[in-house]
Amino acid sequence: MTDTVLPKRGRTMKPQSLELAGRPLHPSTLMMGYGYDPALSEGALKPPIFLTSTYVFESAADGKRFFEGIIGLRPGGAEGLVYGRFNGPDQEILEDRLALWEGAEEALVFSTGMSAITTALLAYVRPGDIIVHSAPLYAATEKLIDAVIGKFSVGWMDFHASAGREKIEATLRAARAKGRVSVIYLESPANPTNELVDIEAVAAVRDEVFAGVDEKPVIMCDNTFLGPVFQAPTRHGADISLYSLTKYVGGHSDLVGGACIGGKAVLAPILALRNTIGTITDPHTSWMLLRSLETVQLRMERAEANARTLCEFLRDHPKIERVGYLGFLEPGSAQRGIYDRHCAGAGSTFSVIVKGGEAEAFRLLDNLTLVKLAVSLGGTESLASHPAAMTHLSVPAARKAELGISDNLVRVSIGVEHVDDLVADFRQALEAV
Ligand SMILES: *Cc1c(COP(=O)(O)O)cnc(C)c1O
């Protein structure tokens, strides 16, 4: 009988290099294998789903060392796998691959987009602080900041997503005069108006207004709508990019998940809080997201091309007042300037403003056949919804008006179907309007 030497368990090496022949590899290439060594899993080409709640230590000293990493006594996090609330192989591979899209040091994955946002904010705010945010925000995020975190004596001030430098500066100075500003929270493009935030300008103003302050506010930016393919906020001055992985990254409308991407130091308090409260995603969802990441660029590029063709059709349609689409920003406008600096593509989520009111918008929605009537976005299938009556129903009328969420606005998320069929569906549905 020959002695069988079992490979050492745990992910101790990065088998795939980030370079080939001195040239950096593209994220779309690295999604198929980076961060996973088949030799550690019986030669399986693809990472197995590691359904286990806990991990066996080789020695007591190992266990002690790993825990030192978990509780922060040792920099760099845990050196090995410990317990399902802290980490797992599927989650770690997913985190390594996600970070590549923004060229960032680290990513952390969460059970949902909202648990990522909640964990990130709670890790940084203290009673008496002010959160400064761009507006509008995803409705649950607004509620989180106002009604949930607000309960702990944390206030907020906002500026309009499309605000220029002066307005951003005035808001930050006013906030600074009121209390400690711990977080500047952005969402770009904003939901559902698609306005872009000048992340670069926010970072420059932050550095100016808080020069000499020990703990400068952390800039977080929700990148769900264009990330990870068309925008990387951490390359433009944001400290942390936040994601609902439920949308384009998951991409098949069959899971919920979230992520924070950024530098190790800025993510450290968020990781510590995730370890404590357990907002990490599960192994099965992580595995699904690994599969999704292999096609995220293909899907997002196809959806983007589809959306562009469809928007061109809609723009010229006599029953359409306007199309709120990032690909149609006026050359020379401030928004176009931000787009050219920050975005590599217009994505596939946009607004269609029909001529008329709620009745006309509803008729369009009720007559679409291929395009399903549902909230959410970023899936392989196209969806349409009515923000004023659905996702933003609880927003007071005055605020809706201020944010441009009108009764004749239809929100559309385009998928990867054949574009001729999508145009045909909108054409026939508009005939019924
Ligand atoms: C969907 C969404 C979220 C919340 O994500 P969940 O995965 O549903 O928790 C946050 N921000 C934006 C912009 C979203 O579209």
Side-chain angles (χ1 to χ4, degrees):
M1 229 173 75
T2 55
D3 273 352
T4 318
V5 180
L6 287 173
K8 194 173 177 301
R9 301 288 141 170
R11 291 178 56 253
T12 51
M13 55 177 177
K14 294 264 163 63
Q16 192 174 334
S17 162
L18 291 166
E19 289 187 352
L20 183 69
R23 222 178 105 268
L25 290 165
H26 296 87
S28 55
T29 302
L30 291 163
M31 289 308 106
M32 270 57 95
Y34 181 69
Y36 169 66
D37 180 0
L40 297 175
S41 296
E42 320 292 356
L45 174 68
K46 291 296 183 189
I49 305 175
F50 289 87
L51 291 177
T52 183
S53 61
T54 195
Y55 297 85
V56 177
F57 306 136
E58 284 185 8
S59 66
D62 267 4
K64 182 180 179 192
R65 224 176 50 244
F66 295 173
F67 264 96
E68 285 169 349
I70 294 281
I71 68 166
L73 280 179
R74 186 183 279 278
E79 285 172 40
L81 299 166
V82 173
Y83 181 63
R85 199 177 73 238
F86 305 146
N87 50 16
D90 299 291
Q91 290 93 327
E92 288 193 347
I93 300 165
L94 175 61
E95 289 172 342
D96 288 348
R97 291 187 191 171
L98 268 176
L100 293 177
W101 288 94
E102 297 210 12
E105 275 181 338
E106 192 163 82
L108 301 173
V109 288
F110 294 85
S111 55
T112 66
M114 286 316 301
S115 73
I117 294 167
T118 305
T119 311
L121 285 173
L122 287 180
Y124 274 97
V125 295
R126 298 202 296 252
D129 283 359
I130 310 284
I131 296 171
V132 175
H133 70 82
S134 63
L137 296 178
Y138 185 71
T141 309
E142 281 204 12
K143 183 163 184 183
L144 170 71
I145 290 173
D146 182 50
V148 182
I149 296 178
K151 278 196 303 198
F152 303 99
S153 305
V154 176
W156 57 267
M157 294 179 81
D158 64 357
F159 56 83
H160 205 278
S162 58
R165 222 189 135 99
E166 290 79 53
K167 178 67 192 154
I168 296 168
E169 182 173 340
T171 311
L172 284 180
R173 287 199 189 280
R176 193 185 162 176
K178 266 177 85 175
R180 189 182 86 116
V181 182
S182 42
V183 176
I184 301 172
Y185 187 95
L186 313 174
E187 182 177 306
S188 185
N191 179 43
T193 57
N194 261 9
E195 282 151 305
L196 296 170
V197 178
D198 193 337
I199 306 166
E200 243 171 344
V202 170
V205 171
R206 186 263 319 255
D207 292 346
E208 203 177 293
V209 173
F210 295 89
V213 174
D214 271 353
E215 291 176 300
K216 277 189 202 164
V218 173
I219 300 175
M220 304 181 183
C221 182
D222 185 330
N223 194 34
T224 299
F225 282 84
L226 290 179
V229 171
F230 300 124
Q231 182 173 259
T234 56
R235 294 188 203 271
H236 301 289
D239 299 300
I240 298 172
S241 274
L242 297 164
Y243 286 78
S244 167
L245 301 175
T246 311
K247 315 296 168 52
Y248 286 99
V249 176
H252 297 72
S253 307
D254 55 7
L255 59 82
V256 288
C260 295
I261 299 181
K264 272 188 191 302
V266 77
L267 292 184
I270 303 171
L271 172 60
L273 184 59
R274 189 187 70 176
N275 284 343
T276 303
I277 65 179
T279 41
I280 192 168
T281 192
D282 64 281
H284 182 259
T285 302
S286 300
W287 183 91
M288 302 255 286
L289 284 160
L290 288 173
R291 167 179 265 216
S292 290
L293 277 177
E294 297 185 9
T295 56
V296 67
Q297 182 148 10
L298 277 178
R299 287 184 284 103
M300 287 188 79
E301 285 177 354
R302 167 65 174 258
E304 206 246 7
N306 280 354
R308 188 170 293 272
T309 306
L310 182 65
C311 285
E312 276 159 11
F313 163 77
L314 293 171
R315 177 167 61 176
D316 299 331
H317 197 283
K319 290 183 180 167
I320 299 295
E321 190 177 297
R322 193 166 62 80
V323 180
Y325 167 59
L326 287 175
F328 293 161
L329 294 171
E330 206 64 52
S333 65
Q335 284 284 294
R336 178 61 181 268
I338 301 171
Y339 180 83
D340 290 342
R341 279 183 283 123
H342 289 1
C343 310
S348 70
T349 301
F350 56 89
S351 302
V352 179
I353 296 97
V354 297
K355 286 184 182 157
E358 187 188 83
E360 285 73 16
F362 276 18
R363 231 169 287 145
L364 169 61
L365 287 166
D366 288 336
N367 282 286
L368 287 166
T369 57
L370 275 179
V371 179
K372 294 287 178 287
L373 177 48
V375 299
S376 197
L377 59 115
T380 46
E381 69 291 298
S382 298
L383 301 178
S385 65
H386 191 275
M390 296 168 192
T391 48
H392 292 67
L393 184 61
S394 64
V395 179
R399 177 111 177 121
K400 268 190 223 172
E402 186 190 318
L403 299 174
I405 305 169
S406 52
D407 286 336
N408 59 345
L409 185 149
V410 169
R411 193 76 169 138
V412 179
S413 164
I414 289 300
V416 299
E417 301 93 336
H418 197 293
V419 69
D420 293 351
D421 298 332
L422 294 172
V423 170
D425 198 19
F426 272 89
R427 182 181 286 122
Q428 66 78 27
L430 281 166
E431 269 160 26
V433 172

